[in-house]
Amino acid sequence: MLKKKPVFKRVVLKLTGESLQGHKGAGIDLKVARSVARQIKEIKELGVDLACVIGGGNIFRGLQAAEEGMERVTADYIGMLETVINSLALQDALEQEGIYTRVQTAIEIQRLAEPYIRRRAIRHLEKGRVVIFAAGTGNPYFSTDTAAALRAIEIGADAILKATKVDGVYSQDPAIYPEAKKFTRLKYIDVLKKRLQVMDATAISLCMDNHLPIIVFNLMRSGNIKRVILGEGIGTKVS
Ligand code: UDP
């Protein structure tokens, strides 16, 4: 049987902070971080360039804190720092799997990580390293989804792989509405018009303007990142 080939040369994997918390209510479950790292290893073995962006929702959500009275900008900076914590945890898990990684931050924290330098990030990818982009875009009022879209465009990625807890985009929340319909393909404009929960509007617009496909898939099923990379048509493709 012919071996399947990757359909992408370079991708950005967007993980939510929540995806690291596993069954814990918050924080980082190292077992989950390691299982994500093992899935990433499978992709590296296929020779695909991979960068990651991870959120911070398992520790802190800026918007929520702002709703509870904290100044929005401060709350967002705390949120960005939390993504650095998650990025370091992911880096450790990847290194335990023998994968070379570099963390680059949008807010300089030089003792811990490199500052984000586009050409340097590309060089790391060319050398087979996984680059983790931390601290979002470095700006308040943005999200890590927007950071993923921005970095993906900057480094010339072929797609964003948006990892979630469900197996794609639905017309309604499938956990509440069992009759919800799953989409296999969607247009950016429909995501915006129907306000579907894929990524926030800023991130979607950025992808739309730069023709960057988004593939939404379930991270909880082991081997799914590889299935997406091999073009197995799981999840929902937004293009
Ligand atoms: N954040 C920000 N600017 C950015 C990226 C993130 O201000 O460019 C803050 C924002 O407060 C956000 C938090 O960092 O709530 C964590 O990111 P996000 O909510 O995107 O994480 P996820 O939902 O993916 O875990």
Side-chain angles (χ1 to χ4, degrees), residues 14-19 53-64 72-83 86 106 135-147 162 200:
K14 167 67 209 315
L15 303 163
T16 57
E18 265 185 358
S19 66
V53 171
I54 182 152
N58 54 322
I59 312 177
F60 190 86
R61 255 180 220 291
L63 202 56
Q64 208 173 314
R72 171 75 193 261
V73 175
T74 304
D76 279 344
Y77 277 120
I78 296 175
M80 284 183 266
L81 292 177
E82 305 302 3
T83 73
N86 284 336
T137 62
N139 301 294
Y141 298 100
F142 286 93
S143 67
T144 49
D145 281 346
T146 301
K162 160 94 183 175
D200 57 80

Side-chain angles (χ1 to χ4, degrees), residues 109-187:
I109 313 180
Q110 295 220 26
R111 292 282 166 100
L112 299 180
E114 295 177 4
Y116 170 65
I117 299 170
R118 176 179 162 267
R119 284 177 196 280
R120 205 157 169 192
I122 291 171
R123 189 79 194 109
H124 289 320
L125 293 172
E126 287 168 352
K127 286 187 176 170
R129 296 172 186 142
V130 170
V131 182
I132 305 169
F133 296 120
T137 62
N139 301 294
Y141 298 100
F142 286 93
S143 67
T144 49
D145 281 346
T146 301
L150 177 65
R151 295 294 183 244
I153 295 159
E154 287 184 272
I155 64 168
D158 308 314
I160 296 190
L161 315 188
K162 160 94 183 175
T164 62
K165 287 184 290 189
V166 281
D167 60 347
V169 184
Y170 283 79
S171 52
Q172 288 163 300
D173 185 347
I176 305 169
Y177 304 95
E179 70 280 13
K181 178 177 160 271
K182 184 188 154 191
F183 300 102
T184 49
R185 290 189 79 101
L186 273 169
K187 291 194 173 125

